[in-house]
Amino acid sequence: RCKELMKNRILSDEELVKRVHQGDEDALAALVSRYTGITRWRANHYAQLGIDPDDLVQEGMIGLLQAIRRYDEGREASFKTYAVRCIFSKITSAVNTWYS
């Protein structure tokens, strides 16, 4: 069913978030799949610092899960804008923690 939800981007990110809030695990899997690429891209940005990118991908995924849990459609930002900010912030925070 996850593939069905993602096929041709049938559902918007916002609709998927609504479904996740209602307990739909396939919607969660679809969102995670959609945002894995950008999370991995950002994590690889820090590879030259000697940090394992997989560790940073995990941090980014935590940021994504937080974004899904906290997203409020009543705010002016799209889910994508909010999620990317949460992902990047979580990764940057991890990098700063490792180097402080």
Side-chain angles (χ1 to χ4, degrees), residues 76-88:
E76 294 185 21
S78 69
F79 176 75
K80 183 175 184 174
T81 298
Y82 182 65
V84 168
R85 182 166 180 123
C86 289
I87 291 165
F88 285 17

Side-chain angles (χ1 to χ4, degrees), residues 47-62:
Q48 74 273 11
L49 297 177
I51 301 171
D52 183 352
D54 289 335
D55 291 339
L56 294 179
V57 168
Q58 287 181 358
E59 291 293 327
M61 286 294 141
I62 291 169

Side-chain angles (χ1 to χ4, degrees), residues 32-45:
V32 167
S33 181
R34 283 186 186 177
Y35 285 88
T36 296
I38 195 161
T39 302
R40 186 161 298 287
W41 172 81
R42 186 63 172 180
N44 286 333
H45 176 77

